[in-house]
């Protein structure tokens, strides 16, 4: 922040986390600035945007998971948010995080902010973002954290002069947009790396590593041509298959053995029911076709998780790489759609595998692991760059909203025609 100057005079805010603020600023409790309205879940959610429906503003959707978008009709107890209205995540692991709304029905895990003061709306948004660490820290509850409503009401916001609020918001809009653009580019790179990784693995396990090899029709539409000397076999001829007998609730923190559930996260247990080389995948839920694990050793697994072991004609690692990269093509073919996606046993048992000679399988695995190491290194560096950008974004918002930097003389590169008017308003307010 060294390129930005500080204000000339400061005073003690009396608030530990806030520290000193510019001498002419004031502070206010949140309850005098805005009130919050909890959302209500509609009685029926729909996949399609039918006439008369609105977006359902769930936590997942508002945090960027577009695949979780659902629609509903507004009911008498629904809260319909306006576009860009400030919301706070009230319940769950992200309780205390502020998000901007789209027009839609607010879910019960969210609360909407309604301004009851004359604070500038864009400045208020950034002030809430600055307040977020305190709200996250104060979130409480048994099992599922939730926002402490009293802490939210009593939380402190800084209130600069009106024109300063506009200036600070314009500055932060411009600067955070630049940072967000850089973050978006890095996230696109990670997505491309993931696609490239999958394409490399898919090609290796279906076409092999020799570009001059003679090919044949596999007889499987989604598989296409495969090397002529490879076999194509159904999964049921390549391994044993069974499900576990445990529930997610059986997990124990710091347990002695891995416990595989329907998630990419591996839980722990103090017991084990298997001691072998195995591949595991989710049998139902959102993990179908997405969650895969490979292990050699002692472990336990969920009653809705499929375990494959006792491999025949294939190595365990080859089986794992093939399944995690190819099974999504048919994951729900013949499956059931109810409250969760469900994988049926016949679909699984009849899934088609390419089976190269074992020596070739080993070469393919060595090739995949070497490439994965390269992709992992690039992805790790990119993720670190995103983290640093996010930290800079947070620090910049905090510095501007708490008055640690003075942006009153900042001029907008993108809006030069309003700079003189804007600067005049700031100077006029500061002379009062």
């Amino acid at each position: 922040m060294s390129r930005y100057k500080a204000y000339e005079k400061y005073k003690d805010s009396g608030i530990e986390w806030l520290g000193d603020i510019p001498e002419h600023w004031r502070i206010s409790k949140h309850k005098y600035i805005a009130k919050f309205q909890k959302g209500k879940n509609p009685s029926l959610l729909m996949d399609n945007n039918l006439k008369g429906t609105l977006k359902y503003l769930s936590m997942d959707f508002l945090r960027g998971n577009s695949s979780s978008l659902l629609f509903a009709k507004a009911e008498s107890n629904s809260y319909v948010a306006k576009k860009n209205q400030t919301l706070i995540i009230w319940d769950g692991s992200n309780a205390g995080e502020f998000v901007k709304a789209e027009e839609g029905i607010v879910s019960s895990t969210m609360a909407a902010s309604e301004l009851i003061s004359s604070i500038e709306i864009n400045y208020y948004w950034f002030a809430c973002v600055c307040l977020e660490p305190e709200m996250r820290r104060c979130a409480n509850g048994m099992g599922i954290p939730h926002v402490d409503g009293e802490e939210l009401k009593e939380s402190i916001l800084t209130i600069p002069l009106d024109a300063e609020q506009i200036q600070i918001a314009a500055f932060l809009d411009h600067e955070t947009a630049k940072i967000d653009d850089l973050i978006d580019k890095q996230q696109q790179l990670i997505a491309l790396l993931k696609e490239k990784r999958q394409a490399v693995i898919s090609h290796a396990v279906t076409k092999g590593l020799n570009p001059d090899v003679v090919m044949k029709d596999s007889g499987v539409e989604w598989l296409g041509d495969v090397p002529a000397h490879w076999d194509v076999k159904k999964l049921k001829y390549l391994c044993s298959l069974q499900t576990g007998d445990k529930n997610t609730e059986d997990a124990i923190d710091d347990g002695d053995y891995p416990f595989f559930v329907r998630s990419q996260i591996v839980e722990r247990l103090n017991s084990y029911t298997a001691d072998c080389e195995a591949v595991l995948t989710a049998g139902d839920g959102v993990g179908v076709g997405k969650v895969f694990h490979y292990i050699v050793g002692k472990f336990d697994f969920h009653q809705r998780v499929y375990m494959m072991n006792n491999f025949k004609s294939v190595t365990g690692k080859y089986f794992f790489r093939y399944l995690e990269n190819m099974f999504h093509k048919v994951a729900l073919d013949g499956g059931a759609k109810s409250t969760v996606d469900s994988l049926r046993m016949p679909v699984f048992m009849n899934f088609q595998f390419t089976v190269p000679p074992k020596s070739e399988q080993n070469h393919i695995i060595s090739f995949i692991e070497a490439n994965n190491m390269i992709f992992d290194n690039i992805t790790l560096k990119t993720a670190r760059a995103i983290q640093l950008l996010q930290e800079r974004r947070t620090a910049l918002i905090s510095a501007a909203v708490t008055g640690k930097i003075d942006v009153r003389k900042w001029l907008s590169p993108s809006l030069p025609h309003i700079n003189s008017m804007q600067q005049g308003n700031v100077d006029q307010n500061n002379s009062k």
Side-chain angles (χ1 to χ4, degrees):
M1 305 300 168
S2 57
R3 64 192 178 105
Y4 302 110
K5 293 182 178 180
Y7 282 83
E8 291 182 359
K9 294 182 180 180
Y10 286 85
K11 64 183 178 183
D12 183 5
S13 69
I15 309 298
E16 184 178 353
W17 69 265
L18 185 54
D20 292 343
I21 61 173
E23 189 177 49
H24 62 285
W25 287 22
R26 64 184 179 88
I27 58 175
S28 174
K29 291 184 177 181
H30 210 148
K31 63 184 177 183
Y32 302 126
I33 302 296
K35 61 180 181 179
F36 284 83
Q37 289 287 114
K38 282 289 298 291
K40 299 285 185 181
N41 288 339
S43 55
L44 179 64
L45 295 173
M46 295 170 275
D47 292 329
N48 299 318
N49 187 10
L50 303 176
K51 185 177 180 181
T53 63
L54 294 167
K55 291 178 180 177
Y56 173 62
L57 305 183
S58 67
M59 178 186 70
D60 284 345
F61 172 67
L62 289 170
R63 296 191 78 244
N65 184 2
S66 58
S67 64
S68 64
L69 175 58
L70 296 169
F71 301 88
K73 290 187 176 181
E75 300 168 356
S76 58
N77 61 349
S78 297
Y79 187 95
V80 179
K82 300 181 179 67
K83 185 175 177 60
N84 290 329
Q85 187 172 352
T86 297
L87 307 180
I88 186 171
I89 298 174
W90 200 268
D91 301 297
S93 58
N94 296 99
E97 179 181 336
F98 290 91
V99 292
K100 278 189 177 181
E102 297 193 28
E103 183 183 9
I105 298 170
V106 179
S107 77
S108 63
T109 60
M110 314 290 297
S113 173
E114 296 181 343
L115 294 179
I116 56 175
S117 72
S118 59
I119 192 170
E120 203 277 326
I121 188 169
N122 288 333
Y123 174 82
Y124 172 72
W125 159 251
F126 286 114
C128 285
V129 173
C130 182
L131 189 63
E132 190 174 292
E134 285 299 299
M135 291 298 96
R136 298 291 299 272
R137 184 181 64 80
C138 294
N140 53 43
M142 295 295 292
I144 300 176
H146 60 265
V147 168
D148 186 320
E150 286 304 310
E151 288 285 349
L152 181 59
K153 290 178 183 178
E154 297 295 317
S155 60
I156 299 298
L157 277 70
T158 52
I159 312 294
L161 299 172
D162 292 350
E164 261 182 290
Q165 293 179 31
I166 296 171
Q167 178 77 350
I168 291 169
F171 165 77
L172 289 175
D173 274 336
H174 182 269
E175 294 299 313
T176 58
K178 291 195 300 183
I179 296 173
D180 289 343
D181 184 59
L182 291 173
I183 291 173
D184 185 59
K185 285 181 169 61
Q186 296 298 312
Q187 289 173 334
Q188 288 178 36
L189 175 57
I190 288 178
L192 288 172
L193 287 168
K194 184 178 179 181
E195 289 178 11
K196 179 65 175 175
R197 180 204 295 259
Q198 185 169 2
V200 167
I201 296 174
S202 296
H203 188 275
V205 298
T206 59
K207 311 301 178 188
L209 304 179
N210 181 2
D212 300 320
V213 70
V214 177
M215 307 294 282
K216 68 178 180 183
D217 184 0
S218 67
V220 181
E221 183 178 355
W222 56 265
L223 193 52
D225 291 344
V226 299
H229 64 290
W230 289 15
D231 292 327
V232 177
K233 294 184 178 181
K234 293 178 179 180
L235 180 146
K236 61 185 176 183
Y237 300 123
L238 300 177
C239 64
S240 302
L241 178 67
Q242 67 183 86
T243 56
D245 61 1
K246 301 293 190 301
N247 292 311
T248 306
E249 294 77 15
D250 296 326
I252 299 173
D253 291 342
D254 302 319
D256 294 333
Y257 304 104
F259 174 37
F260 297 100
V261 295
R262 294 169 294 174
S263 163
Q264 206 62 41
I265 297 171
V266 180
E267 303 287 353
R268 305 293 296 185
L269 266 183
N270 282 333
S271 65
Y272 66 92
T273 56
D275 183 4
C276 60
E277 178 186 39
V279 174
L280 302 102
T281 190
D284 67 11
V286 296
V288 171
K290 301 174 185 176
V291 171
F292 300 93
H293 300 281
Y294 172 81
I295 188 172
V296 178
K298 297 174 181 177
F299 62 92
D300 219 323
F301 55 112
H302 191 275
Q303 62 176 329
R304 301 285 181 84
V305 167
Y306 289 125
M307 179 192 75
M308 292 138 281
N309 65 342
N310 299 323
F311 301 107
K312 309 172 188 70
S313 303
V314 291
T315 67
K317 281 192 175 181
Y318 178 84
F319 184 96
F320 169 64
R321 292 301 181 188
Y322 186 95
L323 190 69
E324 74 165 345
N325 283 277
M326 303 302 295
F327 188 62
H328 67 92
K329 295 178 182 290
V330 296
L332 295 176
D333 182 18
K337 280 276 191 178
S338 54
T339 55
V340 293
D341 293 329
S342 180
L343 177 61
R344 294 309 185 200
M345 189 69 77
V347 176
F348 209 43
M349 297 293 281
N350 293 316
F351 179 63
Q352 301 277 7
F353 270 74
T354 56
V355 183
K358 280 198 175 179
S359 60
E360 200 169 344
Q361 292 178 34
N362 291 332
H363 286 142
I364 289 171
I365 291 303
S366 295
F367 169 79
I368 288 172
E369 289 179 347
N371 273 274
N372 279 353
M373 189 176 297
I374 295 171
F375 285 124
D376 287 342
N377 287 336
I378 300 173
T379 301
L380 186 63
K381 290 178 181 178
T382 306
R384 178 57 179 158
I386 291 173
Q387 182 183 352
L388 291 172
L389 286 166
Q390 290 171 333
E391 289 173 359
R392 171 166 176 74
R393 187 184 193 278
T394 299
L396 187 65
I397 292 172
S398 177
V401 170
T402 61
K404 302 303 183 286
I405 59 175
D406 183 355
V407 299
R408 288 175 296 178
K409 294 188 181 299
W410 174 81
L411 300 178
S412 171
S414 58
L415 299 170
H417 60 287
I418 70 166
N419 283 328
S420 58
M421 179 180 65
Q422 191 173 11
Q423 197 57 54
N425 287 338
V426 171
D427 293 340
Q428 183 179 12
N429 267 272
N430 290 337
S431 66
K432 292 180 180 179

